[in-house]
Amino acid sequence: MTVNIDRDSTSSITGSRDTSHRHSQLTLKSRISEPALPTSSPLTIAEVEEMNDRFLEAVKELDALLIHNWITDPGRRPHLKSEHIQSALFDLAGLKEPTKVEPEHFRDQAVYVILDECKPDIECLDAELKPTPLILAALCGRENITKLLIDAGANLQAKDGIFERTALSWAARNDFIKTFELLLTALDERKDRKTIQSKDRCGHTAFDLAKQKGHERIARLIGSRSTRPNAS
């Protein structure tokens, strides 16, 4: 499934539709051959560097299972570089697809353990589109990851650095209804009308973007909150 970043953009990205997995307590079976490292065994500088090189390779391949297993391994996690973990969060939340086919819940669970065990910077901006992880997840319709980031306290008002759209506006534009509902509910709970009516660089609200693309269900959802902005 192809998700266009913007109707005026000449490039497209591959994302996945909203998923219906519910898996707060999933256990993933490891396919890596080596056992967990004992926490009492000291590692040399060379061993730590080799470990980080392997982890970074897993991030580049988007090997969600290995990322999950190494972060949950108390013998490895303290030695993993924070920037590699941050890169893993961005790639898992957003546009990148794994080189090997894996169930979607592997991806979701890897994000869960990153947020739970590593406490990364969830407001950090990615270099390319300059979005937060939440914006990436919303842009791609990753429902479960969006929910995890909302629960972790992600800023719903944040905008990407190019189109200046919120996570809600991206979900509205790309017609990810379940992701949109999660974000809209979170904004309702925070009594945040301002973000629902927030305008992007071109002056378009989430309602405008939904109407432009013919996403009537999303447009009706905004209207049902009595927060419908004036269409431009």
Side-chain angles (χ1 to χ4, degrees):
M1 188 276 298
T2 299
V3 181
N4 292 322
I5 288 184
D6 191 82
R7 64 194 177 97
D8 298 322
S9 175
T10 57
S11 62
S12 63
I13 56 173
T14 302
S16 68
R17 278 280 181 181
D18 296 295
T19 56
S20 58
H21 302 291
R22 292 293 182 269
H23 53 267
S24 59
Q25 299 297 325
L26 282 182
T27 299
L28 303 185
K29 293 183 178 180
S30 174
R31 66 163 177 265
I32 58 177
S33 58
E34 64 265 36
L37 292 180
T39 56
S40 59
S41 298
L43 297 177
T44 66
I45 294 176
E47 288 173 330
V48 170
E49 288 300 319
E50 181 182 0
M51 181 188 301
N52 274 281
D53 287 345
R54 290 189 61 192
F55 184 78
L56 186 57
E57 189 63 30
V59 172
K60 290 178 179 177
E61 295 179 357
L62 209 65
D63 188 338
L65 183 56
L66 188 144
I67 293 169
H68 171 279
N69 290 335
W70 279 35
I71 287 177
T72 54
D73 180 353
R76 290 187 171 88
R77 184 177 64 251
H79 302 292
L80 299 176
K81 293 181 180 180
S82 59
E83 58 264 34
H84 295 346
I85 294 171
Q86 195 75 44
S87 293
L89 176 60
F90 276 122
D91 287 349
L92 290 162
L95 320 179
K96 195 172 183 179
E97 293 297 335
T99 56
K100 300 176 182 177
V101 178
E102 291 184 329
E104 185 71 15
H105 70 262
F106 282 15
R107 188 179 198 127
D108 301 340
Q109 273 299 101
V111 171
Y112 175 83
V113 297
I114 287 173
L115 295 173
D116 188 55
E117 301 284 354
C118 303
K119 305 297 187 273
D121 181 1
I122 58 175
E123 302 306 332
C124 184
L125 299 181
D126 188 47
E128 185 176 354
L129 184 61
K130 301 188 185 307
T132 63
L134 177 64
I135 291 172
L136 281 174
L139 186 154
C140 293
R142 301 197 189 283
E143 177 193 349
N144 293 327
I145 294 175
T146 297
K147 180 66 165 61
L148 289 170
L149 288 163
I150 291 172
D151 290 347
N155 181 8
L156 302 180
Q157 298 177 345
K159 296 183 177 184
D160 70 80
I162 297 179
F163 299 99
E164 299 179 10
R165 291 174 185 159
T166 63
L168 186 80
S169 287
W170 276 114
R173 187 209 174 275
N174 289 339
D175 199 25
F176 291 125
I177 185 72
K178 292 181 181 179
T179 299
F180 181 86
E181 287 176 327
L182 281 171
L183 292 161
L184 192 60
T185 297
L187 288 166
D188 281 347
E189 290 173 351
R190 300 180 191 185
K191 296 180 171 56
D192 186 353
R193 287 191 172 192
K194 183 177 179 180
T195 299
I196 297 173
Q197 299 182 45
S198 177
K199 295 181 179 181
D200 66 11
R201 184 188 65 188
C202 297
H204 298 143
T205 63
F207 176 82
D208 297 331
L209 294 167
K211 291 293 287 184
Q212 286 173 4
K213 304 301 290 185
H215 307 324
E216 294 298 331
R217 289 179 63 196
I218 286 180
R220 286 196 298 271
L221 276 173
I222 299 174
S224 71
R225 263 52 176 199
S226 299
T227 55
R228 173 175 169 170
N230 293 324
S232 57

